[in-house]
Amino acid sequence: MADLAALLDREASAEIEGILSEARARASEIVAAANEEASTLLAGRRRSAEAQQRAALVRARSAAQLESSSLTLRAQHAVIEEVFGEAEREIDALTGKNEYADVLAKLIDEAVAGSGVETANVKAVVVNPGDQAAATKAAKAAGLSAAVETDESVRGGLRLKAGENVIIENTLYGRLESLREELAAEVAQVLLSKEG
């Protein structure tokens, strides 16, 4: 019986050793598969994090470029407004000087020529009240017999009433305004060339 117990003990030990060996092999496979899955998962998350970082960097650059463009446009607008403000101040200063009478005379001549009507058909020359004396003299020099009227809204030039429903506004401020887009584009071009 002792032999049988020893034999059973050896067989049980061999079977236990086989089961343990198989369990170790299986555990090793499970650990290897888990490590591989973890590595794959980690690599995927790393790629995802890197892609998110690149996307965030692109968004940040785009936002920075947009903000830079916005600041540049605001600065250009401010400079352009300052340039036009200075031009208007120069016109304001000119209208208070003696040489403005010569400018007003030229503006009257241009308005008459641009109206396409005979001087006899000019009905009125409308100017700012401060320019009435100079306009009266210039109108007579241009051969106009039309009345010189005043209107506070006319500044830096005149409004010519001629023929049937012909009204020509010829003012320095109007000319400046008509050139605004063109001059604004030129000023913007100068500013951009100084940036680059």
Side-chain angles (χ1 to χ4, degrees):
M1 192 105 166
D3 282 337
L4 184 57
L7 179 66
L8 283 172
D9 194 32
R10 274 193 305 258
E11 279 184 22
S13 288
E15 200 171 312
I16 289 172
E17 192 56 44
I19 291 172
L20 283 174
S21 177
E22 191 177 314
R24 283 187 200 113
R26 181 74 184 121
S28 198
E29 288 173 6
I30 291 171
V31 167
N35 281 338
E36 187 174 324
E37 188 177 330
S39 292
T40 302
L41 186 60
L42 184 62
R45 287 193 176 158
R46 186 179 297 123
R47 283 191 301 274
S48 176
E50 287 171 353
Q52 288 176 354
Q53 181 185 15
R54 284 192 299 272
L57 186 59
V58 167
R59 283 192 304 271
R61 282 185 182 143
S62 294
Q65 287 174 341
L66 186 61
E67 180 67 18
S68 172
S69 294
S70 175
L71 289 172
T72 300
L73 286 175
R74 279 187 277 190
Q76 286 176 0
H77 179 73
V79 169
I80 289 167
E81 289 304 310
E82 180 57 35
V83 167
F84 280 93
E86 181 60 30
E88 287 179 2
R89 286 187 289 279
E90 289 292 324
I91 293 171
D92 289 343
L94 174 65
T95 59
K97 295 180 180 176
N98 290 336
E99 53 266 17
Y100 177 65
D102 293 335
V103 172
L104 187 59
K106 287 178 186 173
L107 291 173
I108 290 172
D109 289 342
E110 288 174 2
V112 170
S115 71
V117 298
E118 297 293 323
T119 55
N121 292 333
V122 173
K123 295 178 180 178
V125 175
V126 183
V127 296
N128 189 278
D131 300 338
Q132 187 173 18
T136 301
K137 182 178 176 186
K140 285 183 183 172
L144 299 177
S145 59
V148 175
E149 300 172 2
T150 62
D151 184 339
E152 289 283 338
S153 69
V154 178
R155 294 176 46 233
L158 68 130
R159 186 178 304 135
L160 185 82
K161 295 178 182 177
E164 298 260 342
N165 301 321
V166 175
I167 296 177
I168 295 179
E169 186 120 356
N170 194 14
T171 67
L172 297 174
Y173 296 102
R175 287 179 175 203
L176 180 63
E177 191 57 38
S178 70
L179 293 173
R180 181 174 284 272
E181 282 187 36
E182 182 182 333
L183 292 175
E186 287 181 27
V187 170
Q189 190 69 28
V190 168
L191 290 174
L192 287 174
S193 68
K194 288 185 179 185
E195 283 179 8

